[in-house]
Amino acid sequence: MSQAASLLKREGGAVFSLEKQRIEIETAMQEKKIEINAQKEVLHQQKRAILEEKSDVKHIIDHLTSRLVLLQKR
């Protein structure tokens, strides 16, 4: 009986250890997901700002090009 109890105790400890590892891994994965989502949001905001800047520059170039054409016609 004591061998069976000892075996059961060891296996129970192993199961507990595996369960603890699983919980730690899941927690780490959730933390990484939060970090990734935060970084994605930062990148999304940067992309939006860059696209807005690109649009502004394009308007400036278009305006200057039209002024240049107008001045060349004089």
Side-chain angles (χ1 to χ4, degrees), residues 19-35:
E19 182 66 17
K20 185 178 173 186
Q21 264 188 330
R22 183 187 65 79
I23 291 169
E24 289 172 352
I25 290 170
E26 285 178 354
T27 302
M29 286 174 53
Q30 289 298 328
E31 290 172 358
K32 277 295 182 189
K33 282 182 183 181
I34 291 169
E35 289 175 21

Side-chain angles (χ1 to χ4, degrees), residues 59-70:
H59 283 97
I60 291 169
I61 290 172
D62 290 345
H63 174 72
L64 291 175
T65 302
S66 66
R67 275 191 67 196
L68 183 61
V69 169
L70 183 64

Side-chain angles (χ1 to χ4, degrees), residues 4-16:
S6 176
L7 179 63
L8 184 59
K9 185 176 179 180
R10 272 186 294 160
E11 293 298 320
V15 169
F16 176 75

